[in-house]
Amino acid sequence: MPKLLRVVNREQCIGCFSCMYSCSRVWFKAITPEKAALRVRIYHGIEGAFSIRPCYGCFDPDCANACPTQALMPRKGGGVQLAADKCVHCEKCINACVPKALQWDRELGVPIPCRHCGICVQFCPNNVLEMSEVPQNEGGASENV
Amino acid sequence: MRTYKMLEVDLKSGEFKTSDITPLFEKYLGGTGVATALFGEVPPENDPYSPSAPIFFVIGPFSGVYPVATKTIAVFKSPLTGNLGESHAGGRLAMAIQGTGFHVLKIVGKAPVLSYLVINEDSVVIKRANSLKGMSALATERVLRDREDAGFKRSMIRIGPAGERLSPIAGVTVDSSRHFGRLGLGGVMGSKNLKAVVISGGKYWSISNPAQFNTFYKKIYESVVKSPAMKKYHDLGTSMNVLPLSQINGLPTRNFSQGFFESGKEISGEKFAEKHLCQQIACAHCQVGCIHVASLREAFDPTEHMYKTFKVSYDHELIYALGSNLSIQSTEEILRLLLLVEKQGWDAISIGVTLAWAIDAFKAGFIGTKETNGLVLNFGDAAVCEKMLHHTADGKTEFFSDLEKGADFCSAKYGGKEFAIAFGKNEAAGYMTGLYAFLGYATGVRHSHLDAAGYSIDQGNLTKPQSDEDSTKALYKESVWRMILNSLTICLFARNIYTKEVILEGLDALEIPGWTEDKLLTTAKRIHALKHLCKQKCGFKLDQIPFPDRLTKVFTSAGKVSEDRFRQQINFFQQLVDDDIKTLL
């Protein structure tokens, strides 16, 4: 059964951004949180209220559905993959993702699809994230967003 | 080759310019080293509140790169001490500055009206903000986070009303709960009509040797999340010190009149954890999560079961400054005081120590109910302390307005120098372990307990005594070495992880060439000497630093400390520094 990235212990997040740094570091060789395929969102003025938005691995992804050029296509096992040469940089994909889980690479002008590789899981100090086996056709958000 | 740039903003003209200052980073690494070199170029006679007085925010080559290199170093002329002002803060600021593509932000000038500054990569905008006048440090964050969102991860620093009133003990709040607390940066920002700075950007350094870099990163990561050296910081945090210090007569109690607090158990780290700890949070790129957040739920209309809940962060220093040192015996009362301090944006240590001085001054008759607007000041009276803070914020009387100028100022004006517990005019931190805690405050380049952790030497001497001369050498050695940690902007909690060898390996993995153990140590000495020279040029004389008489009478963890012994070691430390100044500068 394929594995997808899941938020399993949202309340244990300390907001260190280690997950985002690891994604940027490993996939883009970039020292920044901004290239990551997921986001830890902070609610201003509220100490320690974090919401983690990874790609939910949808099987009929809203983002791919919104792509006018089929640059973003459903990925086997859940989620999406990008053919960057077809991308027309319209940002319709990121706007279609209701939880703002799909990130935009502002440097290259393309979306950043999550590979569900699990590198962020390895660098989370508090077991907030997990690679979980998800039955075919059951992608989508877990309840712990 | 790594390059480093400085962004210089003039708040008066609204103009900004950028420059390449890579050579300074090659010489001084970054952080505190570079900041001190830049401060050294500022005329020492400059008034801390003059528009031309610069504020430098500096990060280092490890900032945002490796775990726990989370600090930003702020350097400015301190309105509290009149010499080198330096304060370090975590939060998300170093990450955000790195995202702008700069390693140094220099702010000069005075905005014509209260304003805030937005730095987003290369764009710099100064915005009028009269509507933020008098707004608490906490509310300002809520408002500006709504207002300013460039789409990148952000950081926000701002002052509360205390900074706007130019209090020399006003700090600057960073993100939710970090601070440039010490030495009056809040007042300096206030003098520039600068309420806040919002910073973000997506720039980054690339990794061209991923195998080497990622192997090194993983090693540090494993140390950070698994090392026993880091465990205590996310466990009870520094508040774990409260009870053990009290047990060895090292917890300042009732304005440093004793080291044992009879209610230590009631305000211990364990008690805070049991009653209030709701979560730990972290600075960006630190997997430890040492920021302890307390929540306090209170009924505001018990007849109708109406409740309010607030959250505030706490640590050892805050518990000492607003707890044991005022003889306040309940966690709830400490948290209520802390919330007021957070809103106003005072440095918690300085305002706490100044309140303690005021209570002693009242008891000794230096001030009376005329000055206090009828309040009777007593240790242990949290309700009166709360009123004192409100009166200070409101400027109720001249005396209360003076309280936010610090203990040294107040004692010079009203009397009671002998119990104004400040070193180099900076109120002392929460360790009363003996001579080396005091020497650490006195000789520290920023008069902080973090300059050399003298308290640690005192505690070591309890079990393994060494001579005063050897202890002073150890203090000096630690002060010097911390220049490297602070230049790399490594949080001092990770000092045992980032050894010399690890630092050299990290520089190599980041492709920063030319560093050896010898060069690190020489650079550390040079930065340390340069700081002392800067302080001297501003008029600071270490050998004439006042030693509050009370501290010669109190029984510390290491017994009584005579002024003669203190002076001898001050002079010895001065010699060590003078040698460095002669040979290295």
PDB file of all heavy atoms in Angstrom, chain A residues 62-79:
ATOM      1  N   ASP A  62      -7.798  18.814  -6.421  1.00  0.00           N
ATOM      2  CA  ASP A  62      -8.362  20.085  -6.892  1.00  0.00           C
ATOM      3  C   ASP A  62      -7.311  20.895  -7.647  1.00  0.00           C
ATOM      4  O   ASP A  62      -7.627  21.601  -8.605  1.00  0.00           O
ATOM      5  CB  ASP A  62      -8.876  20.907  -5.702  1.00  0.00           C
ATOM      6  CG  ASP A  62     -10.030  20.209  -4.987  1.00  0.00           C
ATOM      7  OD1 ASP A  62     -10.733  19.409  -5.647  1.00  0.00           O
ATOM      8  OD2 ASP A  62     -10.207  20.452  -3.779  1.00  0.00           O
ATOM      9  N   CYS A  63      -6.061  20.805  -7.201  1.00  0.00           N
ATOM     10  CA  CYS A  63      -4.996  21.602  -7.830  1.00  0.00           C
ATOM     11  C   CYS A  63      -4.775  21.137  -9.282  1.00  0.00           C
ATOM     12  O   CYS A  63      -4.685  21.962 -10.203  1.00  0.00           O
ATOM     13  CB  CYS A  63      -3.715  21.528  -7.025  1.00  0.00           C
ATOM     14  SG  CYS A  63      -3.124  19.863  -6.678  1.00  0.00           S
ATOM     15  N   ALA A  64      -4.683  19.821  -9.466  1.00  0.00           N
ATOM     16  CA  ALA A  64      -4.465  19.301 -10.822  1.00  0.00           C
ATOM     17  C   ALA A  64      -5.677  19.590 -11.699  1.00  0.00           C
ATOM     18  O   ALA A  64      -5.552  19.908 -12.888  1.00  0.00           O
ATOM     19  CB  ALA A  64      -4.192  17.801 -10.761  1.00  0.00           C
ATOM     20  N   ASN A  65      -6.828  19.515 -11.093  1.00  0.00           N
ATOM     21  CA  ASN A  65      -8.067  19.791 -11.820  1.00  0.00           C
ATOM     22  C   ASN A  65      -8.101  21.224 -12.345  1.00  0.00           C
ATOM     23  O   ASN A  65      -8.665  21.506 -13.408  1.00  0.00           O
ATOM     24  CB  ASN A  65      -9.250  19.518 -10.890  1.00  0.00           C
ATOM     25  CG  ASN A  65     -10.567  19.628 -11.607  1.00  0.00           C
ATOM     26  OD1 ASN A  65     -10.775  18.963 -12.622  1.00  0.00           O
ATOM     27  ND2 ASN A  65     -11.441  20.491 -11.114  1.00  0.00           N
ATOM     28  N   ALA A  66      -7.468  22.122 -11.577  1.00  0.00           N
ATOM     29  CA  ALA A  66      -7.488  23.540 -11.968  1.00  0.00           C
ATOM     30  C   ALA A  66      -6.418  23.875 -12.994  1.00  0.00           C
ATOM     31  O   ALA A  66      -6.432  24.951 -13.589  1.00  0.00           O
ATOM     32  CB  ALA A  66      -7.287  24.404 -10.721  1.00  0.00           C
ATOM     33  N   CYS A  67      -5.471  22.988 -13.207  1.00  0.00           N
ATOM     34  CA  CYS A  67      -4.339  23.286 -14.098  1.00  0.00           C
ATOM     35  C   CYS A  67      -4.813  23.280 -15.557  1.00  0.00           C
ATOM     36  O   CYS A  67      -5.325  22.277 -16.045  1.00  0.00           O
ATOM     37  CB  CYS A  67      -3.228  22.259 -13.894  1.00  0.00           C
ATOM     38  SG  CYS A  67      -1.826  22.532 -15.006  1.00  0.00           S
ATOM     39  N   PRO A  68      -4.637  24.407 -16.271  1.00  0.00           N
ATOM     40  CA  PRO A  68      -5.150  24.488 -17.640  1.00  0.00           C
ATOM     41  C   PRO A  68      -4.293  23.742 -18.660  1.00  0.00           C
ATOM     42  O   PRO A  68      -4.717  23.531 -19.787  1.00  0.00           O
ATOM     43  CB  PRO A  68      -5.149  25.987 -17.922  1.00  0.00           C
ATOM     44  CG  PRO A  68      -4.082  26.541 -17.043  1.00  0.00           C
ATOM     45  CD  PRO A  68      -4.036  25.681 -15.830  1.00  0.00           C
ATOM     46  N   THR A  69      -3.090  23.360 -18.268  1.00  0.00           N
ATOM     47  CA  THR A  69      -2.176  22.780 -19.270  1.00  0.00           C
ATOM     48  C   THR A  69      -1.760  21.352 -18.941  1.00  0.00           C
ATOM     49  O   THR A  69      -0.876  20.798 -19.601  1.00  0.00           O
ATOM     50  CB  THR A  69      -0.895  23.637 -19.378  1.00  0.00           C
ATOM     51  OG1 THR A  69      -0.233  23.598 -18.107  1.00  0.00           O
ATOM     52  CG2 THR A  69      -1.209  25.066 -19.759  1.00  0.00           C
ATOM     53  N   GLN A  70      -2.343  20.798 -17.916  1.00  0.00           N
ATOM     54  CA  GLN A  70      -1.979  19.449 -17.458  1.00  0.00           C
ATOM     55  C   GLN A  70      -0.497  19.355 -17.075  1.00  0.00           C
ATOM     56  O   GLN A  70       0.127  18.308 -17.193  1.00  0.00           O
ATOM     57  CB  GLN A  70      -2.338  18.400 -18.515  1.00  0.00           C
ATOM     58  CG  GLN A  70      -3.844  18.360 -18.770  1.00  0.00           C
ATOM     59  CD  GLN A  70      -4.249  17.228 -19.680  1.00  0.00           C
ATOM     60  OE1 GLN A  70      -3.602  16.981 -20.698  1.00  0.00           O
ATOM     61  NE2 GLN A  70      -5.318  16.544 -19.323  1.00  0.00           N
ATOM     62  N   ALA A  71       0.029  20.484 -16.628  1.00  0.00           N
ATOM     63  CA  ALA A  71       1.395  20.456 -16.080  1.00  0.00           C
ATOM     64  C   ALA A  71       1.385  19.724 -14.740  1.00  0.00           C
ATOM     65  O   ALA A  71       2.313  19.004 -14.397  1.00  0.00           O
ATOM     66  CB  ALA A  71       1.911  21.877 -15.893  1.00  0.00           C
ATOM     67  N   LEU A  72       0.323  19.947 -14.000  1.00  0.00           N
ATOM     68  CA  LEU A  72       0.172  19.292 -12.706  1.00  0.00           C
ATOM     69  C   LEU A  72      -0.806  18.141 -12.882  1.00  0.00           C
ATOM     70  O   LEU A  72      -1.968  18.348 -13.260  1.00  0.00           O
ATOM     71  CB  LEU A  72      -0.367  20.312 -11.691  1.00  0.00           C
ATOM     72  CG  LEU A  72      -0.017  20.117 -10.233  1.00  0.00           C
ATOM     73  CD1 LEU A  72       1.484  20.056  -9.999  1.00  0.00           C
ATOM     74  CD2 LEU A  72      -0.636  21.224  -9.402  1.00  0.00           C
ATOM     75  N   MET A  73      -0.326  16.946 -12.653  1.00  0.00           N
ATOM     76  CA  MET A  73      -1.153  15.756 -12.915  1.00  0.00           C
ATOM     77  C   MET A  73      -1.209  14.884 -11.664  1.00  0.00           C
ATOM     78  O   MET A  73      -0.265  14.861 -10.869  1.00  0.00           O
ATOM     79  CB  MET A  73      -0.529  14.943 -14.060  1.00  0.00           C
ATOM     80  CG  MET A  73      -0.555  15.651 -15.404  1.00  0.00           C
ATOM     81  SD  MET A  73      -2.229  15.731 -16.076  1.00  0.00           S
ATOM     82  CE  MET A  73      -2.422  14.031 -16.635  1.00  0.00           C
ATOM     83  N   PRO A  74      -2.305  14.165 -11.499  1.00  0.00           N
ATOM     84  CA  PRO A  74      -2.373  13.247 -10.353  1.00  0.00           C
ATOM     85  C   PRO A  74      -1.194  12.285 -10.384  1.00  0.00           C
ATOM     86  O   PRO A  74      -0.747  11.858 -11.449  1.00  0.00           O
ATOM     87  CB  PRO A  74      -3.697  12.513 -10.566  1.00  0.00           C
ATOM     88  CG  PRO A  74      -4.513  13.432 -11.396  1.00  0.00           C
ATOM     89  CD  PRO A  74      -3.546  14.136 -12.294  1.00  0.00           C
ATOM     90  N   ARG A  75      -0.709  11.982  -9.164  1.00  0.00           N
ATOM     91  CA  ARG A  75       0.451  11.120  -9.022  1.00  0.00           C
ATOM     92  C   ARG A  75      -0.039   9.758  -8.547  1.00  0.00           C
ATOM     93  O   ARG A  75      -0.968   9.678  -7.730  1.00  0.00           O
ATOM     94  CB  ARG A  75       1.380  11.771  -7.999  1.00  0.00           C
ATOM     95  CG  ARG A  75       2.488  10.957  -7.437  1.00  0.00           C
ATOM     96  CD  ARG A  75       3.199  11.825  -6.357  1.00  0.00           C
ATOM     97  NE  ARG A  75       4.160  11.086  -5.571  1.00  0.00           N
ATOM     98  CZ  ARG A  75       3.868  10.347  -4.503  1.00  0.00           C
ATOM     99  NH1 ARG A  75       2.620  10.224  -4.089  1.00  0.00           N
ATOM    100  NH2 ARG A  75       4.827   9.728  -3.842  1.00  0.00           N
ATOM    101  N   LYS A  76       0.587   8.721  -9.042  1.00  0.00           N
ATOM    102  CA  LYS A  76       0.197   7.375  -8.630  1.00  0.00           C
ATOM    103  C   LYS A  76       0.407   7.237  -7.115  1.00  0.00           C
ATOM    104  O   LYS A  76       1.464   7.585  -6.604  1.00  0.00           O
ATOM    105  CB  LYS A  76       1.060   6.346  -9.374  1.00  0.00           C
ATOM    106  CG  LYS A  76       0.536   4.940  -9.270  1.00  0.00           C
ATOM    107  CD  LYS A  76       1.446   3.970 -10.011  1.00  0.00           C
ATOM    108  CE  LYS A  76       1.021   2.546  -9.693  1.00  0.00           C
ATOM    109  NZ  LYS A  76       2.001   1.566 -10.148  1.00  0.00           N
ATOM    110  N   GLY A  77      -0.574   6.810  -6.427  1.00  0.00           N
ATOM    111  CA  GLY A  77      -0.464   6.671  -4.974  1.00  0.00           C
ATOM    112  C   GLY A  77      -1.031   7.862  -4.224  1.00  0.00           C
ATOM    113  O   GLY A  77      -1.158   7.836  -3.006  1.00  0.00           O
ATOM    114  N   GLY A  78      -1.375   8.933  -4.947  1.00  0.00           N
ATOM    115  CA  GLY A  78      -1.946  10.109  -4.290  1.00  0.00           C
ATOM    116  C   GLY A  78      -1.088  11.335  -4.471  1.00  0.00           C
ATOM    117  O   GLY A  78       0.136  11.247  -4.587  1.00  0.00           O
ATOM    118  N   GLY A  79      -1.728  12.505  -4.533  1.00  0.00           N
ATOM    119  CA  GLY A  79      -0.991  13.747  -4.716  1.00  0.00           C
ATOM    120  C   GLY A  79      -0.791  14.070  -6.186  1.00  0.00           C
ATOM    121  O   GLY A  79      -1.497  13.548  -7.047  1.00  0.00           O
TER     122      GLY A  79
END
